[in-house]
Amino acid sequence: MKVDLFDFELPNDRIALRPASPRDSARMLVVEGDALRDASVRDLPASLRPGDLLVFNDTRVIPAQLEGRRGDARIGATLHKREGPRRWRAFVRNGRRLRAGDAIDFGQGVIATATDRAEDGSFALDFAGDEPVELLLERAGTMPLPPYIAAKRAIDERDADDYQTMFAAEKGAVAAPTAALHFTPALMESLSAAGIDHTTLTLHVGAGTFLPVKADDTTDHKMHAEWGRIDPATADRMNNVRANGGRVISVGTTSLRLIESACGDDGIVRAFEGDTSIFITPGYRFKGIDGLITNFHLPRSTLFMLVSALMGLEVMQAAYAHAVLSGYRFYSYGDASLLLPTRKD
């Protein structure tokens, strides 16, 4: 499909620079079939059904943004995927000043050697020493806010908390699974009281999620791989919910992409551990999920393509037009949408 089909106009002032406070006070656009309804995240218990299962991503964002020097050259690096105990793949700013074998000093005693430049311009960074890389990042790194926020304001101490979900446990992401940022302990209690359960999986979100689609046609776009895991008990739980008439509602596109990667054509989710680079566009047949809670996404992005695949392109174009006119806040710190497609049996 032509990427231009997924473009839309978004006023600059619709980009949220801070999350709603409290988190569950964010607005929520409910899209059910082709019907639109304005609501709040706090309305979720009434918007779902007893027996539904919410699936959260429990990845934890690491301070993966680094600023350093190679001689006189300033080098910025955003880690996006672990490739070994001391090796991370990174997108590099000012990479034209960097060659394989160059050492970068990130300060605080953190030094890495650039190796293995890839076609996309990224480098592998091999960190010196024997301290765990996570400790090095705690010393020298900062929270890797999305570029559309970082370009408008400085990263500060609030972001260390604001950009983590209440489920964050497994370190390794360089971007938050932002749909889950809306959830609070109080909201989880309300959901439980309404008979709506939850479980978690792990997908370490990479910085590739923010890369623009540069191809003219979706068939020419290459997705970056991300590592994920669904354990056998979690897979069984999702399968049992659907077998008993409940719905599996993915909280975030990251959870959705992992579930779909682990699901067979028979609709059975199986245990999974490894990389996924699944790219979902209109025409895809969803196998493992029945709905999605997600934020509002970038024009021409792979994530807007995904929600268009789930609900239909015309439906999502209408939903986003309504969101813009109604003042919904967009992107990582923005408002939410609950997407419930018409079930095709």
Side-chain angles (χ1 to χ4, degrees), residues 55-61 167-173 177 199-205 226-231 234 238 254-259 261-262 272-276:
V55 185
F56 294 91
N57 185 356
D58 68 2
T59 190
R60 185 172 186 83
V61 183
F167 308 94
E170 302 294 330
K171 293 181 179 180
T199 190
T200 61
L201 47 71
T202 303
L203 184 130
H204 290 325
V205 191
E226 297 166 313
W227 182 91
R229 179 181 61 232
I230 300 176
D231 63 39
T234 300
M238 287 189 275
T254 61
S255 295
L256 182 151
R257 292 177 63 244
L258 188 58
I259 293 169
S261 298
F272 181 98
E273 183 168 355
D275 286 350
T276 177

Side-chain angles (χ1 to χ4, degrees), residues 108-332:
Q108 303 294 322
V110 179
I111 297 173
T113 300
T115 62
D116 186 23
R117 184 169 190 168
E119 289 184 6
D120 62 6
S122 67
F123 283 87
L125 296 183
D126 293 323
F127 286 87
D130 54 10
E131 285 183 277
V133 174
E134 287 76 9
L135 291 182
L136 301 180
L137 296 178
E138 292 290 342
R139 284 210 306 272
T142 58
M143 194 61 73
L145 281 188
Y148 44 75
I149 295 176
K152 291 176 173 289
R153 67 165 178 84
I155 301 168
D156 57 32
E157 291 183 1
R158 283 179 56 184
D159 292 307
D161 291 323
D162 286 348
Y163 204 52
Q164 298 284 13
T165 75
M166 64 174 287
F167 308 94
E170 302 294 330
K171 293 181 179 180
V174 301
T178 53
L181 292 176
H182 300 294
F183 287 78
T184 64
L187 178 58
M188 296 306 296
E189 289 180 9
S190 297
L191 288 162
S192 180
I196 299 157
D197 209 346
H198 74 279
T199 190
T200 61
L201 47 71
T202 303
L203 184 130
H204 290 325
V205 191
T209 190
F210 301 123
L211 292 180
V213 177
K214 296 180 179 179
D216 294 326
D217 195 282
T218 58
T219 56
D220 297 322
H221 177 71
K222 183 179 180 181
M223 290 285 284
H224 282 79
E226 297 166 313
W227 182 91
R229 179 181 61 232
I230 300 176
D231 63 39
T234 300
D236 288 345
R237 196 168 177 193
M238 287 189 275
N239 294 327
N240 289 337
V241 163
R242 299 183 92 193
N244 290 321
R247 298 178 298 181
V248 170
I249 309 294
S250 173
V251 181
T253 57
T254 61
S255 295
L256 182 151
R257 292 177 63 244
L258 188 58
I259 293 169
E260 291 297 314
S261 298
C263 193
D265 290 336
D266 56 3
I268 302 299
V269 179
R270 294 168 175 82
F272 181 98
E273 183 168 355
D275 286 350
T276 177
S277 56
I278 187 172
F279 182 22
I280 295 175
T281 58
Y284 177 86
R285 184 177 70 85
F286 289 85
K287 305 182 290 290
I289 62 100
D290 305 292
L292 170 67
I293 298 169
T294 187
N295 287 19
F296 292 94
H297 303 295
L298 285 163
R300 301 171 62 93
S301 65
T302 61
L303 301 182
F304 185 61
M305 295 171 192
L306 184 154
V307 297
S308 298
L310 180 64
M311 303 300 297
L313 178 57
E314 289 186 3
V315 170
M316 291 314 300
Q317 287 172 330
Y320 272 49
H322 173 82
V324 170
L325 288 173
S326 302
Y328 278 79
R329 302 162 72 244
F330 274 63
Y331 306 160
S332 294

